[in-house]
Amino acid sequence: MKIIRIIRLFPLSAIRYNYENYHVKNIFMPIPPEVTIALEGNTPSLVSLTVQAAGSSLQEVKRFAKALATNTRLKSLYLKGPITFDSVGAFKVAKAISKNVSITSLTFYNTDLNCADVRKITDLLRNNSALLHLSFHKNSLDGLPGFGVFVSFLDGNNKLTSLDLSKTN
């Protein structure tokens, strides 16, 4: 299994493409148009995507979310970092994933989401039958009220097999 890596350098940032999985990692800049285009085009090799995108405009996030809603190839989406998406962006992505039929794993890692944000997101994802793994690792869930959000979510979702709430408060 040969892995081809192409690294394009930007000031203090880099995009790495692994064309085996078309896996985008370490994006310290707005979401590159080619990533959204690959999602829109249902690129067969695009099965896993990790995004850390500082400075993405709401328009870029909306286009990215719209592409997620119709993509049928992507299996895993990992949104990383407190500067990735604000709660509005995370909400748009969750709304798109609520319509997506292929994503089985979704991670919001250290994205500065609070309990109210997580409640909105889980309400949107409640009826997604494709989602098997969900993580809110390292987000602020406000203790017991946050736990209540997940009790309610799990009550309405019988497909989820894994829920990661590690390093939440």
Side-chain angles (χ1 to χ4, degrees):
M1 186 177 297
K2 184 178 177 185
I3 295 176
I4 300 167
R5 290 190 186 233
I6 299 172
I7 299 176
R8 291 176 27 194
L9 296 176
F10 298 90
L12 301 174
S13 62
I15 301 174
R16 292 189 199 122
Y17 292 92
N18 170 342
Y19 282 96
E20 194 84 7
N21 291 318
Y22 203 89
H23 192 93
V24 180
K25 294 176 88 174
N26 300 329
I27 302 171
F28 297 106
M29 54 184 258
I31 301 167
E34 55 267 28
V35 172
T36 303
I37 290 167
L39 282 170
E40 291 168 338
N42 264 320
T43 302
S45 58
L46 178 56
V47 295
S48 179
L49 181 60
T50 299
V51 179
Q52 181 170 342
S56 293
S57 70
L58 187 56
Q59 182 178 348
E60 289 167 323
V61 172
K62 282 180 179 178
R63 183 174 176 205
F64 178 75
K66 185 178 178 185
L68 280 174
T70 58
N71 183 283
T72 58
R73 304 290 184 161
L74 192 66
K75 302 289 181 210
S76 174
L77 179 60
Y78 190 98
L79 303 174
K80 181 179 180 182
I83 52 177
T84 304
F85 298 101
D86 59 8
S87 59
V88 173
F91 182 73
K92 293 210 174 293
V93 168
K95 190 173 182 181
I97 291 171
S98 72
K99 301 171 187 171
N100 184 290
V101 295
S102 67
I103 293 179
T104 59
S105 179
L106 175 62
T107 299
F108 292 94
Y109 175 82
N110 193 29
T111 49
D112 279 351
L113 297 175
N114 62 34
C115 187
D117 299 330
V118 171
R119 180 178 306 279
K120 289 177 190 173
I121 290 168
T122 56
D123 283 348
L124 285 169
L125 297 176
R126 181 179 318 271
N127 296 319
N128 182 310
S129 60
L131 196 61
L132 301 174
H133 309 283
L134 180 61
S135 174
F136 287 96
H137 180 81
K138 226 173 170 188
N139 282 280
S140 178
L141 301 180
D142 305 328
L144 200 51
F147 180 72
V149 167
F150 292 102
V151 169
S152 172
F153 171 69
L154 292 171
D155 188 39
N157 183 311
N158 341 358
K159 298 291 184 179
L160 204 66
T161 60
S162 169
L163 177 62
D164 179 4
L165 302 176
S166 57
K167 296 195 178 179
T168 58
N169 58 2

